[in-house]
Amino acid sequence: GVQDCHLFWGCIVGHDSIAIVDFGGMFAHLFATKVRRLKVLAEIRQPDDPVEAFQGFKGVILAGGTGESQGFNKAIFVLDVPILGCGFGHLEMARFYGGSVGPSTLSWGHSDLKIVADHPLVDGFVGPVWSSQQDVVTSVGPEFAKLAATVCKNGDLLPFTAVASDKLRRYGVQFHPEVDDTVDGDKLIANFVLAICGCKPSWTMETYLEQQIAAIRQQVGDQSVFLLASGGVDSTVAAVLLRRALGPDRLHLLHVDNGMMRKNESANVLDMFRRFDMDHNLHFVDATDTFLTALGDEVEPEKKRKIIGNTFISEFERIAKELGIERHLLGQGTIYPDTVETGANKGAQTIKTHHNRVPVIDQMIAQGRVVEPLADLYKIEVRELGELLGIDRELLWRHPFPGPGLGVRLLCSDGKVDVNEIAAIQQEVDRFIAKKGTVNMQFLALPIKSVGVKGDRRSYEHPVMISGGANWDEVANLADELLKTVPGVNRCIWNLGSHAPKSVELLPATMTRARLDLLREADHIVMDGLRRHGLYDDIWQCPTALVPVKIDNAGQELCIVRPIHSERAMTATAASLPPALLKELADKILALPGISGLTLDLTSKPPGTIEWE
Ligand code: XMP
């Protein structure tokens, strides 16, 4: 069944596929999406995976990364399939086959390319290209031919920008074909995947759907599936798919109100299931008290996540027993990035514990008791599958909403502040401003911490609140620079209030119903504003968060609005909102009782994450 496939490193049978080795950064996922767009399945592998993990693939891509390759298992070079090294992967491969690597005078970013030999890899490929390496390949082993050189600013040529050995079936490019800045990058990827590896483009949504239906039937046998249905895109698509595979009677849906849903969300979700004829065997439980009791005084983000994840499972088990649903499997709408970001990939540090990946669930997965028919798909593919299943567009294009809900948007604190740490950060910030000479703006390091991501690592650092500034672009650019320069800061937020704060104070705060209600109101104002201004579809997601910070001795919650653009949530850029909408939000949200201020998050991911936790 599907489960076995994953346990035994198998690829989805019946399709040619490519393994992509993840050396960090977001490059591997970009590659996977681009390969999949060619209708060839791609799966992520880790540098230290054993050779067996690469069996069955028709080719391997060593994706460029952050320049660390701890435990890279070079045994994979015994594989008799084409291997393409990109960026960092290019360096590793050159070294392995007797070449050398050295520092380059080339600054990273864009450069022009000169093709010096005909080869299927660079057929129709022109450039310019984008690269991120400080080092470059300075010589290659005797079997390798030079295919392309980089044209330096002074006209010099860097000769080993693209190399190939058809005898060894090894290929390398210094740049990143998977990023959009490499014009024609898709062409080079297609050349490798289709022409060199000989993959047949058979991985279409139609065949995926057929295979998943068969796999679900095989795994579930004569048992039934109990699916946690949040009303979000993923679990809804999973529900429709499971129903298609199992028929109406062997699928039970459970919607849990964990007390951390949006305003009226549970009622709306139940109503939506009814409207779309999905209310057969639909169960509902308001478990607000259970969740809030379990969370108690916990303030630490990762612990909050674990408690929420575990409570979902205990509620689920309790209801299953109550309903007499025996011999059921747990259904989940887990998608591919959820399995990777949790660090299911060995070696990588846990960035966050996805609510679908707490240890109890891992145990159940090992026992084959979890059905996750979307676990191979990226969000965009889930939406595509949903369309194929005839699910309403309105439902498929809802903004993603995390399983732990407002639980990752309502920040808690024990109220303790490391005064020295804040002072040190503020000093660095002041030094930065002094250099910039921005006198009409205030930059203030806040005492609260939020989660972010740097390289492969989770960060837990302070935001800087910026007051003043003429317009979004000016402030966002400064914020960007500040984040690159000042250590200990992982976010910049822009004050939408009328004046710069004179004092800020961190308050102790936990997950309470009253705070959640306040956040629900603020979130409702934001979502309603986006819809009325016709921006809902342009913005990928727009979390609203509260942090327990008093400003100028007033209020106790600072509100943060975080509109972003993204494609697959692995990376994101901050989006601007029109001044008219910002004014509206300020008028309404600042009027809510207890709100101390309103800000707009200007941070991209990385270094911020989408949620604040
Ligand atoms: P971050 O905050 O890591 O979020 O940049 C990336 C995307 O994932 C969503 N998210 C979750 N979704 N369960 C979910 O179903 C979770 O535990 C979870 N945590 C984050 C987040 O909303 C964003 O779209």
Side-chain angles (χ1 to χ4, degrees):
V2 183
Q3 227 53 61
D4 300 343
C5 277
H6 288 291
L7 284 179
F8 296 112
W9 299 110
C11 345
I12 295 177
V13 277
H15 294 289
D16 290 346
S17 57
I18 297 287
I20 298 175
V21 183
D22 182 1
F23 284 107
M26 298 302 163
F27 302 113
H29 289 282
L30 270 173
F31 255 123
T33 320
K34 298 233 153 151
V35 171
R36 285 164 174 225
R37 257 182 233 159
L38 297 168
K39 299 191 166 64
V40 173
L41 185 65
E43 293 201 6
I44 306 289
R45 290 292 181 264
Q46 299 306 313
D48 61 349
D49 279 343
V51 180
E52 299 81 72
F54 292 85
Q55 254 149 36
F57 290 100
K58 293 204 76 169
V60 177
I61 294 173
L62 310 177
T66 42
E68 291 167 42
S69 66
Q70 295 151 357
F72 174 35
N73 180 13
K74 301 204 175 51
I76 70 164
F77 286 123
V78 304
L79 294 169
D80 187 24
V81 295
I83 301 183
L84 172 68
C86 298
F88 179 70
H90 178 52
L91 307 182
E92 282 291 302
M93 204 157 70
R95 280 195 200 100
F96 184 83
Y97 288 103
S100 59
V101 166
S104 92
T105 48
L106 205 66
S107 61
W108 63 280
H110 300 89
S111 38
D112 285 327
L113 203 70
K114 185 175 157 58
I115 303 293
V116 296
D118 281 340
H119 189 276
L121 184 67
V122 289
D123 184 27
F125 183 74
V126 188
V129 299
W130 188 90
S131 41
S132 69
Q133 254 61 50
Q134 256 103 50
D135 288 347
V136 295
V137 171
T138 47
S139 71
V140 289
E143 276 99 349
F144 283 84
K146 291 181 257 183
L147 305 183
T150 303
V151 184
C152 299
K153 297 271 180 290
N154 63 3
D156 286 356
L157 291 182
L158 267 178
F160 305 105
T161 306
V163 300
S165 164
D166 290 320
K167 184 174 147 228
L168 295 171
R169 307 177 85 185
R170 300 293 176 257
Y171 308 84
V173 294
Q174 180 78 44
F175 51 88
H176 290 272
E178 74 283 13
V179 304
D180 293 333
D181 296 70
T182 296
V183 182
D184 293 338
D186 293 0
K187 177 75 185 139
L188 189 136
I189 296 171
N191 287 345
F192 178 72
V193 171
L194 304 176
I196 295 177
C197 299
C199 290
K200 282 182 289 302
S202 65
W203 194 71
T204 60
M205 260 317 148
E206 286 81 1
T207 56
Y208 183 78
L209 175 59
E210 261 171 50
Q211 287 187 335
Q212 280 307 306
I213 288 179
I216 291 167
R217 287 182 181 151
Q218 197 197 342
Q219 189 194 353
V220 177
D222 59 356
Q223 307 178 82
S224 55
V225 173
F226 201 11
L227 176 81
L228 285 166
S230 66
V233 181
D234 306 336
S235 60
T236 306
V237 173
V240 175
L241 174 55
L242 285 164
R243 185 143 294 169
R244 174 87 57 103
L246 302 172
D249 295 331
R250 288 200 292 140
L251 176 69
H252 287 259
L253 302 179
L254 175 64
H255 179 74
V256 179
D257 183 352
N258 59 7
M260 292 169 279
M261 304 292 281
R262 294 191 146 135
K263 186 175 177 180
N264 299 332
E265 177 76 355
S266 284
N268 290 340
V269 168
L270 295 178
D271 179 57
M272 174 195 84
F273 279 128
R274 258 173 239 126
R275 272 192 295 132
F276 294 115
D277 236 3
M278 288 170 54
D279 53 343
H280 185 67
N281 285 341
L282 171 65
H283 314 282
F284 168 68
V285 58
D286 180 352
T288 304
D289 288 333
T290 316
F291 276 86
L292 294 188
T293 308
L295 280 160
D297 292 337
E298 189 52 63
V299 298
E300 205 277 314
E302 262 302 293
K303 290 193 181 137
K304 275 161 54 186
R305 275 187 170 279
K306 293 221 165 85
I307 293 171
I308 295 169
N310 287 334
T311 311
F312 266 119
I313 294 303
S314 54
E315 274 306 280
F316 170 84
E317 295 289 357
R318 188 178 66 77
I319 304 284
K321 208 175 268 168
E322 225 173 82
L323 292 169
I325 307 174
E326 305 287 337
R327 307 207 322 121
H328 62 268
L329 302 183
L330 168 66
Q332 295 201 117
T334 315
I335 66 174
Y336 196 47
D338 304 341
T339 66
V340 180
E341 277 202 336
T342 294
N345 43 347
K346 301 161 309 199
Q349 187 205 22
T350 298
I351 290 176
K352 63 166 184 264
T353 303
H354 195 270
H355 80 286
N356 291 348
R357 278 289 177 275
V358 290
V360 199
I361 294 189
D362 284 340
Q363 275 167 29
M364 293 171 72
I365 291 176
Q367 297 159 1
R369 290 188 51 220
V370 181
V371 194
E372 297 182 319
L374 310 180
D376 296 305
L377 303 184
Y378 288 97
K379 193 95 185 179
I380 184 79
E381 295 165 345
V382 171
R383 286 176 164 149
E384 208 180 302
L385 179 63
E387 259 162 32
L388 195 62
L389 285 164
I391 300 176
D392 202 86
R393 259 196 77 81
E394 165 200 329
L395 214 151
L396 287 179
W397 291 91
R398 297 185 79 194
H399 285 184
F401 188 66
L406 301 180
V408 290
R409 299 180 180 175
L410 185 66
L411 278 77
C412 299
S413 167
D414 56 12
K416 291 194 191 107
V417 182
D418 184 339
V419 183
N420 293 333
E421 185 188 38
I422 292 291
I425 293 172
Q426 187 64 49
Q427 204 172 23
E428 290 287 335
V429 171
D430 292 343
R431 196 170 299 158
F432 169 81
I433 315 167
K435 242 187 234 155
K436 298 257 65 157
T438 39
V439 278
N440 59 344
M441 290 158 83
Q442 187 210 56
F443 293 69
L444 190 65
L446 296 186
I448 187 88
K449 283 185 184 178
S450 76
V451 173
V453 56
K454 282 188 178 164
D456 260 358
R457 288 166 204 285
R458 177 183 194 275
S459 71
Y460 194 42
E461 296 176 335
H462 296 272
V464 165
M465 178 164 164
I466 306 177
S467 300
N471 56 54
W472 190 90
D473 283 310
E474 183 198 358
V475 184
N477 284 336
L478 260 176
D480 232 36
E481 231 183 290
L482 187 150
L483 287 165
K484 285 192 183 119
T485 319
V486 180
V489 177
N490 62 3
R491 292 178 190 271
C492 283
I493 54 180
W494 190 25
N495 185 4
L496 300 179
S498 51
H499 57 273
K502 290 188 185 64
S503 74
V504 289
E505 183 187 343
L506 181 64
L507 305 172
T510 56
M511 196 68 73
T512 62
R513 208 183 270 259
R515 293 188 74 215
L516 284 163
D517 283 341
L518 182 60
L519 177 51
R520 266 187 272 274
E521 285 308 320
D523 172 70
H524 181 68
I525 292 168
V526 173
M527 298 318 285
D528 179 57
L530 285 180
R531 287 207 177 85
R532 276 187 303 97
H533 284 252
L535 291 170
Y536 188 84
D537 291 335
D538 293 343
I539 299 287
W540 203 82
Q541 195 177 7
C542 187
T544 298
L546 291 184
V547 300
V549 170
K550 180 186 256 188
I551 294 180
D552 294 340
N553 285 318
Q556 61 266 358
E557 307 284 357
L558 172 63
C559 182
I560 297 118
V561 178
R562 174 144 179 71
I564 55 141
H565 295 302
S566 180
E567 251 184 273
R568 50 189 81 72
M570 308 292 293
T571 59
T573 52
S576 66
L577 297 178
L581 174 55
L582 292 180
K583 162 121 188 21
E584 232 179 86
L585 295 183
D587 288 346
K588 291 184 181 166
I589 293 176
L590 290 171
L592 293 174
I595 294 288
S596 60
L598 176 64
T599 63
L600 193 62
D601 195 337
L602 304 172
T603 320
S604 55
K605 171 183 178 177
T609 42
I610 295 172
E611 307 294 349
W612 272 57
E613 315 261 338

